[in-house]
Amino acid sequence: MNESHRELLTDQGIISDLLKYEDRKFSNAEEHRFTFIIPYAALAIVLGRLLDSWIVFGVIMLIPVYNFYRLILIWQEKRRRRQSIKNGGFTVITDKLTHIGEEQIYEPHAGRRSAHFSKVVTFFYFPSGQWRVPSIYRHYSWSKNCHLSGEGLMNTSVPENEFYLVLVNNQTEVGYVYNKKLFRYEKEGAPHESEL
């Protein structure tokens, strides 16, 4: 693709995408914990009053207390990861897409009938790692020309395409990917690709 047709990818665009992805990842975990807090707290109160037993109340209250504790840990981890991303805690490398595949995975989530069933998830595979395509309505929402749906993302990506891979510090997975057919990355303060 012609150099002038590729959109400029900046650190701010990457940060925007990474933060949206992090929010999406943590929202499932947060919802899952919330579904245990209120119903079990209500059950503990009702049974404790009906049976006039503080022991029953205390034992059942362990479930929402534990889930509230786990929710606090999730919020702390989310805040720590978001702060790391905002401070530039990521690295951008280039790699070639080897293939796109789907896997059946188990992922608990709340608010749906099938809350404890597995689902099919799409992955992009690279020699340096894999990227789980997030279920986000629009990828690259900051972009003027390249905001894509999940289907559009897969339609524009074929094996052997070169991608920018964003590796978030202290994480084993690829944080986000950008097809070099659509984007040209310039690290802020670094010389432009054309100057190299």
Side-chain angles (χ1 to χ4, degrees), residues 42-98:
L43 180 67
I45 292 168
V46 169
L47 287 179
R49 297 286 288 164
L50 285 175
L51 300 174
D52 198 25
S53 171
W54 285 103
I55 294 173
V56 171
F57 173 78
V59 169
I60 296 175
M61 276 304 287
L62 288 175
I63 296 169
V65 167
Y66 170 76
N67 280 287
F68 186 70
Y69 167 73
R70 294 290 303 188
L71 191 59
I72 290 170
L73 294 178
I74 289 168
W75 288 336
Q76 289 175 337
E77 177 67 10
K78 180 180 177 179
R79 188 177 68 221
R80 186 191 63 74
R81 286 168 69 161
R82 286 179 62 84
Q83 194 59 45
S84 173
I85 290 167
K86 287 179 183 178
N87 291 336
F90 58 87
T91 307
V92 180
I93 64 169
T94 58
D95 206 350
K96 283 190 177 183
L97 178 67
T98 57

Side-chain angles (χ1 to χ4, degrees), residues 34-190:
F34 267 123
T35 59
F36 288 101
I37 293 174
I38 294 174
Y40 278 99
L43 180 67
I45 292 168
V46 169
L47 287 179
R49 297 286 288 164
L50 285 175
L51 300 174
D52 198 25
S53 171
W54 285 103
I55 294 173
V56 171
F57 173 78
V59 169
I60 296 175
M61 276 304 287
L62 288 175
I63 296 169
V65 167
Y66 170 76
N67 280 287
F68 186 70
Y69 167 73
R70 294 290 303 188
L71 191 59
I72 290 170
L73 294 178
I74 289 168
W75 288 336
Q76 289 175 337
E77 177 67 10
K78 180 180 177 179
R79 188 177 68 221
R80 186 191 63 74
R81 286 168 69 161
R82 286 179 62 84
Q83 194 59 45
S84 173
I85 290 167
K86 287 179 183 178
N87 291 336
F90 58 87
T91 307
V92 180
I93 64 169
T94 58
D95 206 350
K96 283 190 177 183
L97 178 67
T98 57
H99 68 283
I100 299 172
E102 292 182 339
E103 291 182 23
Q104 189 96 11
I105 64 165
Y106 170 76
E107 182 175 78
H109 52 281
R112 299 185 196 130
R113 283 178 165 236
S114 60
H116 295 288
F117 292 102
S118 60
K119 64 181 184 178
V120 176
V121 177
T122 304
F123 287 90
F124 281 28
Y125 294 93
F126 302 90
S128 55
Q130 68 183 24
W131 179 62
R132 177 182 173 172
V133 179
S135 54
I136 295 174
Y137 179 66
R138 288 275 181 230
H139 296 275
Y140 320 127
S141 57
W142 53 268
S143 170
K144 293 177 185 167
N145 305 316
C146 297
H147 41 94
L148 301 170
S149 65
E151 189 175 315
L153 185 65
M154 285 180 271
N155 288 340
T156 59
S157 304
V158 294
E160 296 302 312
N161 280 162
E162 278 200 73
F163 280 77
Y164 295 111
L165 275 59
V166 180
L167 307 173
V168 179
N169 297 353
N170 304 321
Q171 292 183 27
T172 57
E173 63 190 41
V174 175
Y176 226 85
V177 300
Y178 301 88
N179 196 326
K180 287 182 85 171
K181 288 190 312 188
L182 304 174
F183 297 98
R184 68 184 185 343
Y185 175 65
E186 293 179 4
K187 177 117 177 110
E188 292 170 12

